[in-house]
Amino acid sequence: MNNVKKSIEPLRGFRELTPEEYKKKKFIIESISELFEKYGYGEVETPTVEPLSLIELKVGEEIRHRMFRFKDLGDRDVVLRPEGTISVARLVVNKMKNEPLPIRVSYVANMFRYDEPQKGRYREFTHIGFEHFGSRSVVSDIEVINIAIEALKKIGIESFKIKLGNEAILRKILSEANIEQKEQDLLLGMLDRGENEEFFEKLSRKGEEKILNVFRELMKTKENSVGESEQTLRKILAGFPAALEEYERVRIIENFLEWKANGKYYFDFGFARGLEYYTGIIFELYVPELSVAVGGGGRYDSLCKLLGRDLPAVGFALGVDRLMLSSQVKTAKQKSKKVGVIILEEDAETIKYTFQVVEQLKEVENLNLEIDTMGGSLGSKIERALKKNEEAIVIIGKKEQTEKRVSVKRLKDGVQKSFSYEELKEKILEFIEQ
Ligand code: HAM
Protein backbone atom coordinates (compact mmCIF):
# COMPACT_ATOMS: atom_id res chain seq x y z
CA MET A 1 0.00 0.00 0.00
CA ASN A 2 2.77 2.39 1.03
CA ASN A 3 4.62 1.76 -2.19
CA VAL A 4 1.59 2.59 -4.29
CA LYS A 5 1.17 5.83 -2.38
CA LYS A 6 4.79 6.74 -2.91
CA SER A 7 4.79 6.03 -6.60
CA ILE A 8 1.97 8.47 -7.27
CA GLU A 9 3.69 11.41 -5.60
CA PRO A 10 5.22 13.96 -8.01
CA LEU A 11 8.96 13.61 -8.52
CA ARG A 12 11.15 15.49 -6.02
CA GLY A 13 11.38 19.17 -6.84
CA PHE A 14 8.39 19.10 -9.21
CA ARG A 15 5.35 21.09 -8.21
CA GLU A 16 1.59 20.86 -8.30
CA LEU A 17 -0.44 24.03 -7.77
CA THR A 18 -4.00 24.25 -6.46
CA PRO A 19 -6.32 26.91 -7.98
CA GLU A 20 -5.52 29.25 -5.06
CA GLU A 21 -1.75 28.84 -5.60
CA TYR A 22 -2.05 29.06 -9.34
CA LYS A 23 -4.00 32.32 -9.00
CA LYS A 24 -0.91 33.96 -7.48
CA LYS A 25 1.30 32.59 -10.23
CA LYS A 26 -1.09 33.81 -12.91
CA PHE A 27 -1.31 37.24 -11.31
CA ILE A 28 2.49 37.54 -11.35
CA ILE A 29 2.77 36.38 -14.97
CA GLU A 30 -0.08 38.52 -16.26
CA SER A 31 1.05 41.68 -14.45
CA ILE A 32 4.65 41.39 -15.62
CA SER A 33 3.64 40.40 -19.17
CA GLU A 34 1.55 43.59 -19.37
CA LEU A 35 4.62 45.57 -18.39
CA PHE A 36 6.79 43.88 -21.05
CA GLU A 37 4.22 44.71 -23.67
CA LYS A 38 4.22 48.35 -22.60
CA TYR A 39 7.96 48.53 -23.21
CA GLY A 40 7.64 46.93 -26.66
CA TYR A 41 8.69 43.35 -25.84
CA GLY A 42 6.76 40.83 -27.96
CA GLU A 43 6.22 37.38 -26.52
CA VAL A 44 7.86 34.36 -28.14
CA GLU A 45 7.86 30.61 -27.58
CA THR A 46 10.74 28.17 -27.89
CA PRO A 47 10.92 24.36 -27.47
CA THR A 48 10.98 22.65 -24.09
CA VAL A 49 13.40 20.00 -25.39
CA GLU A 50 16.59 21.23 -27.04
CA PRO A 51 19.70 19.64 -28.56
CA LEU A 52 22.35 19.15 -25.89
CA SER A 53 24.92 20.69 -28.24
CA LEU A 54 23.06 24.01 -28.36
CA ILE A 55 22.58 24.42 -24.62
CA GLU A 56 26.09 23.16 -23.83
CA LEU A 57 27.59 25.96 -25.89
CA LYS A 58 27.39 28.55 -23.14
CA VAL A 59 25.31 27.35 -20.22
CA GLY A 60 28.33 27.06 -17.94
CA GLU A 61 29.79 24.29 -15.74
CA GLU A 62 27.38 24.70 -12.85
CA ILE A 63 24.19 24.14 -14.86
CA ARG A 64 25.81 21.71 -17.33
CA HIS A 65 26.02 19.13 -14.55
CA ARG A 66 22.45 19.70 -13.47
CA MET A 67 20.60 19.20 -16.71
CA PHE A 68 17.87 16.66 -17.40
CA ARG A 69 19.56 15.04 -20.36
CA PHE A 70 18.65 11.92 -22.22
CA LYS A 71 18.68 10.24 -25.60
CA ASP A 72 15.45 10.55 -27.55
CA LEU A 73 14.09 7.66 -29.61
CA GLY A 74 16.11 8.90 -32.59
CA ASP A 75 19.30 8.50 -30.53
CA ARG A 76 19.84 12.26 -30.29
CA ASP A 77 21.33 13.79 -27.13
CA VAL A 78 18.71 16.18 -25.85
CA VAL A 79 17.99 18.20 -22.69
CA LEU A 80 14.95 19.71 -21.02
CA ARG A 81 15.87 23.41 -21.28
CA PRO A 82 17.56 24.69 -18.11
CA GLU A 83 17.20 28.34 -19.20
CA GLY A 84 15.70 30.36 -22.03
CA THR A 85 18.22 32.91 -23.28
CA ILE A 86 20.16 30.58 -25.59
CA SER A 87 16.98 29.31 -27.30
CA VAL A 88 15.57 32.82 -27.65
CA ALA A 89 18.87 34.03 -29.14
CA ARG A 90 18.70 31.23 -31.72
CA LEU A 91 15.12 32.18 -32.59
CA VAL A 92 16.11 35.81 -33.08
CA VAL A 93 19.16 34.89 -35.17
CA ASN A 94 17.27 32.43 -37.39
CA LYS A 95 13.76 33.79 -37.61
CA MET A 96 13.93 37.54 -37.10
CA LYS A 97 16.57 38.49 -39.65
CA ASN A 98 14.57 41.30 -41.22
CA GLU A 99 13.33 42.96 -38.06
CA PRO A 100 14.63 46.46 -37.41
CA LEU A 101 16.99 46.67 -34.42
CA PRO A 102 16.74 46.60 -31.53
CA ILE A 103 14.68 43.43 -31.30
CA ARG A 104 12.79 43.16 -28.02
CA VAL A 105 11.33 39.78 -27.03
CA SER A 106 9.86 38.26 -23.88
CA TYR A 107 8.89 34.74 -22.78
CA VAL A 108 7.19 32.77 -20.04
CA ALA A 109 8.49 29.22 -19.90
CA ASN A 110 9.14 26.33 -17.57
CA MET A 111 12.79 25.42 -16.97
CA PHE A 112 14.38 22.25 -15.63
CA ARG A 113 17.47 21.91 -13.44
CA TYR A 114 18.49 19.02 -11.25
CA ASP A 115 19.02 21.38 -8.29
CA GLU A 116 18.81 20.15 -4.70
CA PRO A 117 15.20 20.97 -3.72
CA GLN A 118 14.75 23.44 -0.86
CA LYS A 119 12.75 26.57 -0.20
CA GLY A 120 12.52 28.41 -3.51
CA ARG A 121 14.61 25.82 -5.33
CA TYR A 122 12.79 23.36 -7.54
CA ARG A 123 13.63 21.06 -10.43
CA GLU A 124 10.94 22.54 -12.62
CA PHE A 125 10.27 26.26 -12.34
CA THR A 126 8.95 29.11 -14.46
CA HIS A 127 10.92 31.99 -15.91
CA ILE A 128 9.38 35.21 -17.05
CA GLY A 129 12.16 36.82 -19.05
CA PHE A 130 12.92 39.44 -21.64
CA GLU A 131 15.83 40.04 -24.00
CA HIS A 132 16.99 43.13 -25.89
CA PHE A 133 19.03 42.38 -29.05
CA GLY A 134 21.10 44.66 -31.26
CA SER A 135 22.19 47.49 -29.00
CA ARG A 136 25.59 47.98 -27.39
CA SER A 137 24.47 51.18 -25.71
CA VAL A 138 24.37 51.56 -21.96
CA VAL A 139 20.83 52.81 -22.54
CA SER A 140 19.79 49.22 -23.27
CA ASP A 141 21.48 48.01 -20.05
CA ILE A 142 19.55 50.63 -18.13
CA GLU A 143 16.29 49.82 -19.90
CA VAL A 144 16.59 46.18 -18.81
CA ILE A 145 17.47 47.07 -15.21
CA ASN A 146 14.62 49.57 -15.15
CA ILE A 147 12.06 47.01 -16.33
CA ALA A 148 13.33 44.42 -13.85
CA ILE A 149 12.74 46.89 -11.01
CA GLU A 150 9.37 47.91 -12.44
CA ALA A 151 8.36 44.25 -12.61
CA LEU A 152 8.85 43.85 -8.86
CA LYS A 153 6.95 47.04 -8.14
CA LYS A 154 4.11 46.02 -10.45
CA ILE A 155 3.37 42.98 -8.28
CA GLY A 156 3.66 44.90 -5.02
CA ILE A 157 7.32 44.29 -4.09
CA GLU A 158 8.83 47.52 -2.76
CA SER A 159 11.40 46.03 -0.43
CA PHE A 160 14.21 44.52 -2.54
CA LYS A 161 17.94 44.75 -3.26
CA ILE A 162 19.84 44.73 -6.54
CA LYS A 163 23.29 43.25 -6.58
CA LEU A 164 25.40 44.29 -9.56
CA GLY A 165 28.73 43.24 -10.94
CA ASN A 166 30.54 43.50 -14.21
CA GLU A 167 32.03 40.53 -16.02
CA ALA A 168 33.63 42.75 -18.67
CA ILE A 169 35.84 44.32 -16.03
CA LEU A 170 36.82 40.87 -14.70
CA ARG A 171 37.43 39.46 -18.17
CA LYS A 172 39.44 42.48 -19.31
CA ILE A 173 41.76 42.15 -16.34
CA LEU A 174 42.16 38.41 -16.99
CA SER A 175 42.83 39.11 -20.68
CA GLU A 176 45.65 41.47 -19.71
CA ALA A 177 47.32 38.41 -18.22
CA ASN A 178 46.73 36.53 -21.49
CA ILE A 179 44.22 34.18 -19.91
CA GLU A 180 42.14 32.61 -22.68
CA GLN A 181 38.38 32.77 -22.71
CA LYS A 182 37.86 29.09 -21.80
CA GLU A 183 40.00 29.52 -18.73
CA GLN A 184 38.30 32.81 -17.92
CA ASP A 185 35.00 30.90 -17.92
CA LEU A 186 36.41 28.41 -15.43
CA LEU A 187 37.79 31.15 -13.17
CA LEU A 188 34.54 33.14 -13.21
CA GLY A 189 32.66 29.90 -12.50
CA MET A 190 34.70 29.64 -9.28
CA LEU A 191 33.69 33.16 -8.26
CA ASP A 192 30.06 32.31 -9.01
CA ARG A 193 30.21 29.34 -6.66
CA GLY A 194 31.96 31.42 -3.99
CA GLU A 195 35.18 29.40 -4.38
CA ASN A 196 37.33 32.50 -3.96
CA GLU A 197 40.27 30.67 -2.39
CA GLU A 198 40.47 28.27 -5.34
CA PHE A 199 40.26 31.26 -7.66
CA PHE A 200 43.22 32.98 -6.02
CA GLU A 201 45.15 29.73 -5.82
CA LYS A 202 44.75 29.15 -9.54
CA LEU A 203 45.86 32.67 -10.37
CA SER A 204 48.84 32.47 -8.08
CA ARG A 205 49.84 29.12 -9.61
CA LYS A 206 49.96 30.95 -12.91
CA GLY A 207 52.31 33.47 -11.32
CA GLU A 208 49.95 36.36 -11.96
CA GLU A 209 50.83 38.43 -8.90
CA LYS A 210 49.81 41.72 -10.47
CA ILE A 211 46.27 40.75 -11.30
CA LEU A 212 45.99 38.70 -8.14
CA ASN A 213 46.36 41.88 -6.12
CA VAL A 214 43.95 43.72 -8.36
CA PHE A 215 41.29 41.07 -7.70
CA ARG A 216 41.96 41.14 -3.97
CA GLU A 217 41.46 44.91 -3.98
CA LEU A 218 38.39 44.71 -6.20
CA MET A 219 36.68 42.26 -3.87
CA LYS A 220 37.13 44.58 -0.95
CA THR A 221 34.86 47.10 -2.67
CA LYS A 222 31.87 44.81 -2.06
CA GLU A 223 28.79 46.40 -0.54
CA ASN A 224 30.15 49.89 -1.16
CA SER A 225 28.25 52.15 -3.44
CA VAL A 226 30.42 52.86 -6.49
CA GLY A 227 30.08 56.57 -5.84
CA GLU A 228 31.68 56.23 -2.43
CA SER A 229 34.53 54.12 -3.69
CA GLU A 230 34.96 55.69 -7.10
CA GLN A 231 38.44 57.00 -6.40
CA THR A 232 39.52 53.64 -4.97
CA LEU A 233 38.19 51.80 -8.00
CA ARG A 234 39.85 54.14 -10.45
CA LYS A 235 43.11 53.56 -8.62
CA ILE A 236 42.70 49.77 -8.66
CA LEU A 237 41.89 49.72 -12.36
CA ALA A 238 44.48 52.34 -13.34
CA GLY A 239 46.74 49.86 -15.13
CA PHE A 240 43.86 48.37 -17.15
CA PRO A 241 42.52 50.92 -19.65
CA ALA A 242 39.95 48.53 -21.15
CA ALA A 243 38.52 47.76 -17.72
CA LEU A 244 38.54 51.44 -16.83
CA GLU A 245 36.56 52.19 -19.97
CA GLU A 246 33.94 49.63 -18.91
CA TYR A 247 33.89 51.26 -15.51
CA GLU A 248 32.65 54.48 -17.15
CA ARG A 249 29.52 52.55 -18.18
CA VAL A 250 29.10 51.37 -14.62
CA ARG A 251 29.15 55.00 -13.47
CA ILE A 252 26.30 55.84 -15.85
CA ILE A 253 24.27 52.89 -14.56
CA GLU A 254 24.90 53.94 -10.99
CA ASN A 255 23.78 57.48 -11.74
CA PHE A 256 20.47 56.02 -12.91
CA LEU A 257 20.20 53.71 -9.89
CA GLU A 258 20.79 56.57 -7.47
CA TRP A 259 17.45 57.89 -8.69
CA LYS A 260 15.60 54.65 -9.38
CA ALA A 261 16.70 52.45 -6.52
CA ASN A 262 18.33 54.68 -3.97
CA GLY A 263 19.55 52.61 -1.05
CA LYS A 264 18.44 49.40 -2.73
CA TYR A 265 21.49 48.51 -4.77
CA TYR A 266 25.12 47.62 -4.31
CA PHE A 267 28.02 46.70 -6.55
CA ASP A 268 30.22 43.70 -5.95
CA PHE A 269 33.10 43.49 -8.38
CA GLY A 270 34.02 40.00 -7.23
CA PHE A 271 30.61 38.76 -8.36
CA ALA A 272 30.21 36.49 -11.41
CA ARG A 273 27.19 34.54 -12.67
CA GLY A 274 27.16 30.85 -13.47
CA LEU A 275 26.02 31.20 -17.06
CA GLU A 276 29.01 31.55 -19.37
CA TYR A 277 27.62 33.97 -21.91
CA TYR A 278 27.88 37.19 -19.89
CA THR A 279 30.26 39.83 -21.18
CA GLY A 280 29.31 43.03 -19.32
CA ILE A 281 27.03 44.25 -16.56
CA ILE A 282 25.40 41.46 -14.53
CA PHE A 283 22.80 41.80 -11.82
CA GLU A 284 20.49 39.87 -9.51
CA LEU A 285 17.41 40.84 -7.52
CA TYR A 286 16.78 39.81 -3.92
CA VAL A 287 13.83 40.17 -1.56
CA PRO A 288 14.23 40.01 2.24
CA GLU A 289 11.95 36.95 2.54
CA LEU A 290 14.36 34.71 0.58
CA SER A 291 18.06 34.00 0.66
CA VAL A 292 18.15 33.09 -3.04
CA ALA A 293 17.77 35.53 -5.97
CA VAL A 294 14.34 36.15 -7.45
CA GLY A 295 15.85 37.21 -10.77
CA GLY A 296 19.09 37.48 -12.67
CA GLY A 297 20.47 38.73 -15.94
CA GLY A 298 23.05 40.79 -17.76
CA ARG A 299 24.77 41.67 -21.00
CA TYR A 300 25.89 38.93 -23.38
CA ASP A 301 27.45 40.36 -26.53
CA SER A 302 29.01 37.25 -28.04
CA LEU A 303 26.31 34.56 -27.74
CA CYS A 304 24.45 35.45 -30.95
CA LYS A 305 27.71 35.42 -32.92
CA LEU A 306 28.17 31.77 -31.98
CA LEU A 307 24.71 31.14 -33.42
CA GLY A 308 25.37 32.93 -36.70
CA ARG A 309 24.79 36.66 -36.32
CA ASP A 310 26.85 39.26 -34.52
CA LEU A 311 24.22 40.84 -32.27
CA PRO A 312 24.99 42.34 -28.88
CA ALA A 313 22.32 41.68 -26.27
CA VAL A 314 21.19 42.20 -22.72
CA GLY A 315 18.37 40.49 -20.83
CA PHE A 316 16.88 39.31 -17.59
CA ALA A 317 14.69 36.55 -16.17
CA LEU A 318 12.60 36.44 -13.02
CA GLY A 319 11.88 33.20 -11.17
CA VAL A 320 8.08 33.16 -10.86
CA ASP A 321 8.08 30.37 -8.25
CA ARG A 322 10.37 32.39 -6.01
CA LEU A 323 8.29 35.54 -6.44
CA MET A 324 5.29 33.48 -5.29
CA LEU A 325 7.05 32.96 -1.95
CA SER A 326 7.30 36.69 -1.30
CA SER A 327 4.72 37.92 1.19
CA GLN A 328 4.91 41.33 -0.50
CA VAL A 329 3.05 40.03 -3.55
CA LYS A 330 -0.62 40.90 -3.17
CA THR A 331 -2.91 39.55 -5.84
CA ALA A 332 -5.50 42.11 -6.87
CA LYS A 333 -8.53 41.90 -4.63
CA GLN A 334 -11.31 39.93 -6.23
CA LYS A 335 -14.06 42.32 -7.11
CA SER A 336 -16.34 39.70 -8.58
CA LYS A 337 -19.36 38.26 -6.79
CA LYS A 338 -19.84 34.52 -6.50
CA VAL A 339 -23.32 33.34 -7.35
CA GLY A 340 -24.52 29.75 -7.19
CA VAL A 341 -27.02 28.24 -9.60
CA ILE A 342 -29.39 25.62 -8.25
CA ILE A 343 -31.57 23.41 -10.43
CA LEU A 344 -34.58 22.08 -8.51
CA GLU A 345 -35.86 19.50 -10.98
CA GLU A 346 -33.25 18.05 -13.28
CA ASP A 347 -35.48 17.34 -16.29
CA ALA A 348 -34.42 18.08 -19.87
CA GLU A 349 -36.27 21.40 -20.27
CA THR A 350 -35.32 22.82 -16.86
CA ILE A 351 -31.66 21.94 -17.45
CA LYS A 352 -31.70 23.60 -20.89
CA TYR A 353 -33.49 26.67 -19.49
CA THR A 354 -30.89 26.92 -16.67
CA PHE A 355 -28.05 27.07 -19.20
CA GLN A 356 -29.94 29.75 -21.13
CA VAL A 357 -30.17 31.79 -17.92
CA VAL A 358 -26.48 31.21 -17.20
CA GLU A 359 -25.56 32.33 -20.70
CA GLN A 360 -27.43 35.55 -20.14
CA LEU A 361 -25.87 36.13 -16.72
CA LYS A 362 -22.36 35.59 -18.08
CA GLU A 363 -22.72 39.00 -19.67
CA VAL A 364 -23.10 40.69 -16.29
CA GLU A 365 -19.71 42.04 -15.33
CA ASN A 366 -18.06 40.91 -12.08
CA LEU A 367 -20.39 37.97 -11.61
CA ASN A 368 -18.94 34.46 -11.25
CA LEU A 369 -21.42 31.64 -11.68
CA GLU A 370 -21.12 28.13 -10.27
CA ILE A 371 -23.77 25.60 -11.16
CA ASP A 372 -24.45 23.10 -8.36
CA THR A 373 -24.01 19.66 -9.90
CA MET A 374 -24.05 17.66 -6.65
CA GLY A 375 -27.76 16.81 -6.36
CA GLY A 376 -29.49 16.46 -2.98
CA SER A 377 -32.11 18.58 -1.23
CA LEU A 378 -32.50 22.35 -1.55
CA GLY A 379 -31.27 22.63 2.04
CA SER A 380 -28.02 20.79 1.27
CA LYS A 381 -27.53 22.89 -1.85
CA ILE A 382 -27.89 26.11 0.14
CA GLU A 383 -25.49 24.80 2.74
CA ARG A 384 -22.89 24.17 0.03
CA ALA A 385 -23.43 27.67 -1.38
CA LEU A 386 -22.78 29.15 2.06
CA LYS A 387 -19.59 27.08 2.43
CA LYS A 388 -18.35 28.38 -0.89
CA ASN A 389 -18.97 31.96 0.25
CA GLU A 390 -21.49 32.61 -2.48
CA GLU A 391 -23.38 35.86 -2.09
CA ALA A 392 -26.59 34.68 -3.72
CA ILE A 393 -28.14 31.71 -5.45
CA VAL A 394 -30.15 31.60 -8.61
CA ILE A 395 -32.93 28.98 -8.20
CA ILE A 396 -34.57 27.38 -11.18
CA GLY A 397 -37.27 24.69 -11.06
CA LYS A 398 -40.03 23.44 -13.33
CA LYS A 399 -42.22 26.38 -12.27
CA GLU A 400 -39.59 28.98 -13.23
CA GLN A 401 -38.93 27.24 -16.52
CA THR A 402 -42.58 27.17 -17.61
CA GLU A 403 -43.20 30.77 -16.50
CA LYS A 404 -39.85 31.98 -17.92
CA ARG A 405 -38.89 33.40 -14.55
CA VAL A 406 -35.89 33.06 -12.22
CA SER A 407 -35.76 33.18 -8.41
CA VAL A 408 -32.75 34.76 -6.72
CA LYS A 409 -31.97 34.32 -3.03
CA ARG A 410 -29.62 36.67 -1.21
CA LEU A 411 -27.64 34.61 1.25
CA LYS A 412 -26.70 37.29 3.76
CA ASP A 413 -30.36 37.83 4.79
CA GLY A 414 -32.26 35.05 3.04
CA VAL A 415 -34.46 37.45 1.04
CA GLN A 416 -35.75 35.87 -2.16
CA LYS A 417 -37.16 37.61 -5.22
CA SER A 418 -38.55 36.45 -8.54
CA PHE A 419 -37.45 38.09 -11.81
CA SER A 420 -38.63 37.64 -15.37
CA TYR A 421 -36.06 36.12 -17.75
CA GLU A 422 -35.83 39.48 -19.57
CA GLU A 423 -35.26 41.73 -16.53
CA LEU A 424 -32.85 39.41 -14.67
CA LYS A 425 -29.66 40.61 -16.37
CA GLU A 426 -30.39 44.25 -15.56
CA LYS A 427 -31.53 43.74 -11.98
CA ILE A 428 -29.55 40.93 -10.40
CA LEU A 429 -26.50 42.93 -9.24
CA GLU A 430 -28.61 45.66 -7.69
CA PHE A 431 -30.63 43.03 -5.79
CA ILE A 432 -27.54 41.18 -4.54
CA GLU A 433 -25.90 44.40 -3.35
CA GLN A 434 -28.97 45.70 -1.47
P1 HAM B 1 19.33 32.45 -13.75
O1 HAM B 1 19.85 33.40 -12.70
O2 HAM B 1 19.98 31.14 -13.84
O3 HAM B 1 19.41 33.23 -15.12
O4 HAM B 1 17.78 32.23 -13.52
C1 HAM B 1 16.92 33.32 -13.33
C2 HAM B 1 16.06 33.14 -12.11
O5 HAM B 1 15.39 31.88 -12.16
C3 HAM B 1 16.81 33.08 -10.79
O6 HAM B 1 17.13 34.37 -10.31
C4 HAM B 1 15.80 32.39 -9.91
O7 HAM B 1 14.84 33.32 -9.43
C5 HAM B 1 15.13 31.44 -10.85
N1 HAM B 1 15.65 30.08 -10.63
C6 HAM B 1 16.83 29.57 -11.02
N2 HAM B 1 16.97 28.28 -10.62
C7 HAM B 1 15.83 27.97 -9.95
C8 HAM B 1 15.36 26.80 -9.27
N3 HAM B 1 16.05 25.67 -9.21
N4 HAM B 1 14.12 26.86 -8.68
C9 HAM B 1 13.39 27.98 -8.73
N5 HAM B 1 13.79 29.11 -9.35
C10 HAM B 1 14.99 29.12 -9.95
C11 HAM B 1 19.04 32.71 -16.32
O8 HAM B 1 18.55 31.62 -16.48
C12 HAM B 1 19.30 33.64 -17.48
N6 HAM B 1 18.73 33.02 -18.69
C13 HAM B 1 18.74 35.03 -17.24
C14 HAM B 1 19.06 35.96 -18.37
C15 HAM B 1 18.20 36.39 -19.32
N7 HAM B 1 20.25 36.47 -18.65
C16 HAM B 1 20.14 37.21 -19.76
N8 HAM B 1 18.92 37.16 -20.17
Side-chain angles (χ1 to χ4, degrees):
M1 187 62 201
N2 248 347
N3 275 345
V4 174
K5 191 151 183 266
K6 222 180 169 95
S7 69
I8 56 173
E9 290 293 315
L11 293 171
R12 241 183 119 222
F14 285 77
R15 314 184 67 205
E16 298 173 311
L17 301 181
T18 62
E20 205 46 49
E21 292 164 335
Y22 193 72
K23 199 195 272 178
K24 193 164 185 184
K25 179 168 180 174
K26 203 168 154 193
F27 167 76
I28 292 170
I29 291 174
E30 284 178 354
S31 311
I32 298 177
S33 297
E34 247 172 51
L35 183 75
F36 289 171
E37 215 178 313
K38 271 219 159 106
Y39 281 96
Y41 288 76
E43 200 165 335
V44 296
E45 189 172 78
T46 61
T48 310
V49 182
E50 289 283 15
L52 171 68
S53 55
L54 171 81
I55 302 297
E56 252 189 348
L57 273 179
K58 275 287 167 198
V59 81
E61 273 314 294
E62 179 65 13
I63 298 179
R64 203 191 318 273
H65 295 300
R66 295 177 181 275
M67 292 198 290
F68 283 83
R69 49 181 289 183
F70 53 98
K71 275 200 189 294
D72 71 6
L73 293 180
D75 212 29
R76 284 171 285 257
D77 285 308
V78 297
V79 296
L80 297 182
R81 60 177 167 211
E83 68 99 51
T85 306
I86 301 176
S87 308
V88 169
R90 177 195 53 199
L91 169 86
V92 167
V93 167
N94 290 348
K95 296 259 171 73
M96 298 179 80
K97 294 190 182 83
N98 301 322
E99 295 279 324
L101 298 179
I103 295 173
R104 293 178 165 94
V105 291
S106 70
Y107 50 94
V108 179
N110 53 346
M111 305 296 164
F112 303 84
R113 294 182 194 173
Y114 207 83
D115 283 339
E116 192 49 34
Q118 51 174 279
K119 187 176 177 196
R121 185 163 282 142
Y122 309 102
R123 289 185 175 166
E124 180 182 15
F125 54 94
T126 303
H127 269 177
I128 178 157
F130 61 109
E131 316 285 343
H132 186 115
F133 293 92
S135 168
R136 267 179 226 284
S137 163
V138 69
V139 179
S140 55
D141 292 344
I142 292 177
E143 175 175 300
V144 169
I145 297 171
N146 185 49
I147 296 174
I149 296 171
E150 292 279 299
L152 292 190
K153 292 188 171 170
K154 184 97 199 276
I155 55 172
I157 298 182
E158 290 289 340
S159 174
F160 60 86
K161 261 235 143 80
I162 314 171
K163 172 183 180 181
L164 299 103
N166 190 301
E167 293 205 10
I169 291 180
L170 305 182
R171 285 182 189 275
K172 280 171 179 163
I173 299 170
L174 292 172
S175 297
E176 280 288 313
N178 294 324
I179 295 174
E180 296 288 317
Q181 197 197 320
K182 261 276 114 315
E183 202 159 352
Q184 290 183 12
D185 291 346
L186 286 179
L187 283 160
L188 295 186
M190 289 174 180
L191 290 184
D192 168 54
R193 292 187 296 276
E195 296 164 1
N196 292 8
E197 280 317 304
E198 288 85 337
F199 173 84
F200 285 120
E201 221 171 82
K202 196 162 165 92
L203 276 186
S204 90
R205 256 188 278 126
K206 291 181 79 67
E208 295 295 348
E209 284 310 313
K210 183 181 167 204
I211 66 164
L212 200 96
N213 284 331
V214 170
F215 274 107
R216 282 203 200 284
E217 290 300 315
L218 261 186
M219 284 178 195
K220 282 190 207 150
T221 62
K222 188 177 168 181
E223 307 263 339
N224 279 351
S225 146
V226 182
E228 285 168 31
S229 51
E230 185 185 348
Q231 293 318 318
T232 322
L233 275 156
R234 286 193 189 283
K235 224 187 274 162
I236 300 171
L237 299 175
F240 304 88
L244 211 49
E245 202 178 299
E246 183 65 29
Y247 178 65
E248 299 305 334
R249 276 176 87 100
V250 169
R251 291 288 300 142
I252 298 173
I253 294 170
E254 166 156 63
N255 192 51
F256 156 79
L257 285 171
E258 270 169 10
W259 161 72
K260 185 79 186 185
N262 205 356
K264 295 181 177 173
Y265 71 91
Y266 68 96
F267 278 85
D268 174 358
F269 290 99
F271 161 48
R273 284 182 35 83
L275 293 147
E276 264 169 19
Y277 45 65
Y278 294 113
T279 57
I281 190 82
I282 47 169
F283 65 106
E284 287 180 345
L285 291 180
Y286 290 85
V287 293
E289 299 94 314
L290 280 175
S291 58
V292 283
V294 293
R299 172 162 288 279
Y300 52 99
D301 284 347
S302 45
L303 177 65
C304 290
K305 200 169 180 184
L306 283 179
L307 302 168
R309 185 175 174 193
D310 190 5
L311 274 181
V314 52
F316 188 76
L318 288 142
V320 178
D321 307 76
R322 290 188 183 170
L323 291 173
M324 285 169 73
L325 293 174
S326 166
S327 50
Q328 296 179 65
V329 177
K330 303 266 180 307
T331 46
K333 228 183 155 28
Q334 249 223 350
K335 289 184 295 176
S336 51
K337 302 203 172 303
K338 282 170 81 170
V339 172
V341 180
I342 287 175
I343 310 176
L344 291 182
E345 288 93 21
E346 295 189 358
D347 61 85
E349 283 308 315
T350 310
I351 291 174
K352 185 167 80 186
Y353 177 64
T354 304
F355 278 89
Q356 287 166 343
V357 171
V358 166
E359 188 156 306
Q360 197 196 131
L361 285 179
K362 254 193 8 240
E363 289 166 27
V364 180
E365 242 180 272
N366 299 331
L367 206 69
N368 284 356
L369 295 165
E370 261 188 63
I371 302 173
D372 188 303
T373 58
M374 299 303 292
S377 65
L378 178 62
S380 65
K381 283 173 190 283
I382 293 177
E383 217 169 280
R384 265 199 297 275
L386 286 167
K387 268 200 192 133
K388 282 179 173 277
N389 292 323
E390 287 168 357
E391 296 194 29
I393 41 174
V394 165
I395 304 171
I396 301 171
K398 194 81 216 143
K399 184 164 174 287
E400 279 81 6
Q401 184 259 314
T402 45
E403 293 172 4
K404 289 277 168 279
R405 297 195 69 81
V406 176
S407 301
V408 182
K409 190 184 189 69
R410 234 174 15 222
L411 290 179
K412 65 174 179 209
D413 55 11
V415 174
Q416 186 163 327
K417 195 170 171 185
S418 169
F419 296 90
S420 73
Y421 179 79
E422 286 74 26
E423 66 180 353
L424 178 68
K425 200 166 86 183
E426 303 304 323
K427 303 210 164 145
I428 188 165
L429 263 188
E430 192 193 325
F431 173 68
I432 295 174
E433 283 167 354
Q434 260 172 26

